[in-house]
C-alpha cells in the first residue's frame, strides 16, 4: 500500500520556512511516518514543488542531517537513515523543552483552554509519537 | 503544374500547426490564462473570451498566409517561401500570445501562501519498462546483423529513393557508409531520445501513484518512446532496402510507409490528449508570475529546477536560467543539423 506523505508549509507564517520544513519532517520521522530507507525529494525537486528557494530546502535538510535523521551526501538522493538513539534524560535538553512547553501551555491557557484540555492534548500527542 | 500530392503534405502541416496553436486557448493550466495566474472564474469572463477570440483570429490569419506561401513555394519551386510561411505563422502566434498575456496581466492574482509537496512518491517508470526503451535499439541492431549476414546479396548499386510514380531517383553504393549509414543515424537519434526520456523521468513533479499527475507524467513519458519505435522501424526498413528490392522496385506500398509515422503521430497525440485530461490534483503552480517572460518562457535563477510544468499546452518546459536547459536545447537543435550535414557530405 503506497503511503501518501505530504509536506505543507505556510509562507505567511511568522515561522521561517526552513524551520517549518525541519519541524514537519522531524515530526514525521519521530512518529515513524518516514522510516529508514525512504527517499525524500531532492533539494531541487522539493524547492520546485513548494515554489521556494533551493537554499531554504538545503538548509532544512542540512539541519536534519546534522541531527542524524538524513543522509544528504553530495550527488546521492536524500535518504532517511537509522538514527543513533540520543542519550536519555539529558538534563539540559529536558530543561529546554520544559521552557518551551511552559510557553506553549501559557499561550493555550491565554486562548481559553482549560488545563484539563491542555493535559489531554499533550498526553495524546506524546502517546502518538514513538 | 503543381503536383497536388506534393503540395498537400506541406499545406496539411501548416493547417495542423494552426490547429495545434489554437489548442493553446484550451490547454491552459488550471488557475492560469495565457501564462498569467488568474482567479478561477476569470477564464469564463467576457474579457477572457474576447482575449481568446483575438488570439484565434491572429493565429488563423497567419495560418492562411502560411498556406498561401506553401502553395506558392511549390508553384514557383522556391522552398524558402514555405519556410518563411511557417516562420510567419509561428512568429504571429507568439506575438498574439504576448499580446493576450499583456492584456491578461491586469487580472493577475497572488500565488497562494499555503504550499504542499509530496514527500514519498513511487519512482516514475517508463511505460513498457526497459524493453520499451531497448527494443528500438534491437530493431536497428537486428537490421545491422541482417545486412552483415547478407552482405554479398546486396547489389553494388541500389536505389534508395523513389518518386511518387515509383521510379527510382536516388541511388547508393555497397559501401559501409551507404549500407550502414541510415542505421548509424538512427542509433544516434535513438541514443539522444533515450537520454531525453531519462531526463524527463527525473525532472517531472513527484506525485503519488494514485494521482492524476502521476498518470499524466507516465502518458507524457510514453510519447518519446512511441517516437523511438517509429524512428527505429522507418530507418530499419530504409536500411534493409537493398535486401528487399523486387526487380529494382521498393516492395512495400507507399501507403504502408506513410501509415507507420502517421500511426506513431496518432498514438503520440492520443497520449498527449490522455495526459491533458488527467486532473492536476497535487500541488498547484507555485512558480512566480514575473519569471514567465511573455507568459511562455520560464526564467528563474532562484529555481534550481531545470524542468517546470507549462502554463499552457501539455507537459514541461525548461527553466532558461539554468545552463543545463541551454545545453539540452543546443543538443536538440545540433543533433538533426549534424545528421543532415553528415548525411549530405
Amino acid at each position: 500500500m503506497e503511503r501518501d506523505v505530504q509536506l505543507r508549509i505556510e509562507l505567511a507564517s511568522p515561522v521561517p520556512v526552513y524551520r517549518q520544513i525541519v519541524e514537519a519532517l522531524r515530526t514525521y520521522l519521530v512518529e515513524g511516518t518516514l522510516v529508514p530507507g525512504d527517499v525524500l525529494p531532492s533539494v531541487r525537486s522539493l524547492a520546485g514543488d513548494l515554489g521556494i528557494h533551493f537554499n531554504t530546502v538545503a538548509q532544512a535538510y542540512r539541519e536534519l542531517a546534522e541531527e542524524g535523521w538524513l543522509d544528504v551526501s553530495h550527488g546521492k538522493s536524500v535518504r532517511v537513515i537509522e538514527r543513533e538513539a540520543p542519550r536519555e534524560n539529558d538534563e539540559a535538553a529536558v530543561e529546554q523543552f520544559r521552557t518551551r512547553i511552559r510557553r506553549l501551555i501559557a499561550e493555550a491557557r491565554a486562548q481559553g483552554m482549560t488545563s484539563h484540555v491542555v493535559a489531554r492534548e499533550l498526553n495524546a500527542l506524546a502517546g502518538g509519537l514513538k | 503544374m503543381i503536383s497536388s500530392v506534393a503540395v498537400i503534405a506541406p499545406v496539411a502541416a501548416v493547417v495542423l500547426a494552426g490547429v495545434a496553436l489554437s489548442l493553446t486557448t484550451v490547454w491552459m493550466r488550471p488557475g492560469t490564462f495565457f501564462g498569467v495566474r488568474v482567479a478561477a472564474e476569470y477564464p469564463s469572463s467576457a474579457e477572457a473570451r474576447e482575449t481568446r477570440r483575438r488570439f484565434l483570429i491572429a493565429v488563423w490569419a497567419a495560418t492562411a498566409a502560411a498556406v498561401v506561401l506553401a502553395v506558392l513555394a511549390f508553384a514557383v519551386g522556391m522552398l524558402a517561401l514555405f519556410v518563411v510561411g511557417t516562420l510567419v505563422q509561428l512568429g504571429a502566434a507568439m506575438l498574439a500570445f504576448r499580446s493576450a498575456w499583456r492584456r491578461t496581466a491586469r487580472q493577475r492574482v497572488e500565488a497562494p501562501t499555503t504550499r504542499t509537496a509530496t514527500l514519498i512518491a513511487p519512482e516514475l517508470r517508463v511505460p513498457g519498462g526497459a524493453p520499451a526503451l531497448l527494443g528500438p535499439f534491437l530493431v536497428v541492431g537486428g537490421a545491422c546483423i541482417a545486412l552483415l549476414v547478407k552482405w554479398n546479396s546486396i547489389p553494388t548499386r541500389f536505389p534508395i529513393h523513389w518518386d511518387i510514380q515509383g521510379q527510382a531517383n536516388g541511388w547508393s553504393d555497397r559501401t559501409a557508409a551507404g549500407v550502414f549509414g541510415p542505421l548509424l543515424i538512427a542509433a544516434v537519434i535513438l541514443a539522444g531520445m533515450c537520454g531525453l526520456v531519462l531526463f524527463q523521468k527525473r525532472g517531472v513533479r513527484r506525485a503519488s501513484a494514485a494521482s492524476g499527475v502521476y498518470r499524466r507524467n507516465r502518458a507524457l513519458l510514453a510519447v518519446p518512446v512511441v517516437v523511438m519505435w517509429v524512428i527505429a522501424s522507418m530507418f530499419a526498413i530504409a536500411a534493409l532496402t537493398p535486401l528487399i528490392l523486387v526487380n529494382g522496385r521498393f516492395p512495400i506500398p507507399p501507403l504502408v510507409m506513410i501509415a507507420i509515422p502517421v500511426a506513431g503521430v496518432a498514438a503520440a497525440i492520443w497520449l498527449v490528449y490522455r495526459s491533458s485530461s488527467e486532473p492536476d490534483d497535487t500541488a498547484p503552480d507555485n512558480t512566480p508570475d514575473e519569471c514567465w517572460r511573455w507568459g511562455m518562457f520560464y526564467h528563474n535563477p532562484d529555481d534550481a529546477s531545470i524542468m517546470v510544468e507549462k502554463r499552457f499546452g501539455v507537459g514541461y518546459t525548461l527553466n532558461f536560467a539554468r545552463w543545463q536547459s541551454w545545453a539540452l536545447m543546443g543538443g536538440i537543435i545540433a543533433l538533426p543539423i549534424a545528421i543532415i550535414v553528415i548525411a549530405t557530405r
Side-chain angles (χ1 to χ4, degrees), chain B residues 25 134 159:
Chain B
T25 59
L134 294 176

Side-chain angles (χ1 to χ4, degrees), chain B residues 56-121:
Chain B
L56 288 174
I57 288 171
V59 163
W60 284 102
T63 302
V67 166
V68 170
L69 285 171
V71 174
L72 213 58
F74 283 84
V76 298
M78 262 183 77
L79 200 65
L81 282 176
F82 171 66
V83 177
V84 169
T86 51
L87 289 176
V88 164
Q89 186 186 26
L90 187 65
M94 282 175 74
L95 287 174
F97 190 96
R98 181 174 178 266
S99 167
W101 165 72
R102 289 182 71 154
R103 195 175 145 88
T104 311
R106 290 171 296 194
Q107 304 298 331
R108 174 174 296 157
V109 295
E110 289 301 314
T113 55
T114 303
R115 309 280 172 90
T116 55
T118 302
L119 284 178
I120 298 292

Side-chain angles (χ1 to χ4, degrees), chain B residues 26-27 71 76 87 146 160 185 196 208 213 217 229 243 248 295 345:
Chain B
V26 182
W27 283 343
V71 174
V76 298
L87 289 176
I160 53 166
I185 291 170
L196 202 66
S208 65
V213 170
N217 287 339
W229 279 93
L243 292 181
R345 273 179 71 181

Side-chain angles (χ1 to χ4, degrees), chain B residues 2 61-62 67 80 85 89 101 107 120 123 125-126 129 135 146 175-176 234 252 261 263-264 286-287 296 300 305 334:
Chain B
I2 314 166
V67 166
Q89 186 186 26
W101 165 72
Q107 304 298 331
I120 298 292
E123 191 190 346
R125 295 190 186 284
V126 177
T175 59
M234 297 296 286
I252 302 174
N286 291 322
T287 52
M296 55 185 114
N300 185 359
S305 308

Side-chain angles (χ1 to χ4, degrees), chain B residues 211-280:
Chain B
S211 69
V213 170
Y214 184 85
R215 290 192 297 274
R216 193 162 72 180
N217 287 339
R218 255 177 81 88
L220 283 176
L221 211 53
V223 174
V225 175
V226 167
V227 175
M228 282 174 73
W229 279 93
V230 170
I231 288 172
S233 313
M234 297 296 286
F235 275 86
I237 292 171
L240 291 172
T241 298
L243 292 181
I244 57 176
L245 288 174
V246 179
N247 298 326
R249 294 181 81 90
F250 192 66
I252 302 174
L255 271 181
V256 174
M257 291 305 290
I258 293 169
I260 295 173
V262 167
V265 169
I269 289 173
W270 179 76
L271 285 164
V272 168
Y273 170 75
R274 210 183 72 178
S275 99
S276 72
S277 58
E278 293 291 352
D280 188 1

Side-chain angles (χ1 to χ4, degrees), chain A residues 2-12 25 28 34 38-41 44-46 48-54, chain B residues 112-122 205-210 283-284 286 301-306 322 324:
Chain A
E2 195 211 333
R3 291 171 294 151
D4 187 15
V5 187
Q6 299 282 323
L7 173 67
R8 190 186 181 91
I9 58 162
E10 178 51 67
L11 296 186
L25 289 181
Y28 283 146
L34 293 175
D38 279 346
V39 177
L40 298 185
R44 187 193 297 266
S45 166
L46 188 56
D49 286 355
L50 295 173
I52 57 176
H53 199 282
F54 51 88
Chain B
T113 55
T114 303
R115 309 280 172 90
T116 55
T118 302
L119 284 178
I120 298 292
R205 181 152 41 115
R206 286 163 67 104
S208 65
N286 291 322
D302 290 338
D303 187 349
S305 308
I306 298 168
R322 318 300 309 177
Q324 295 94 330

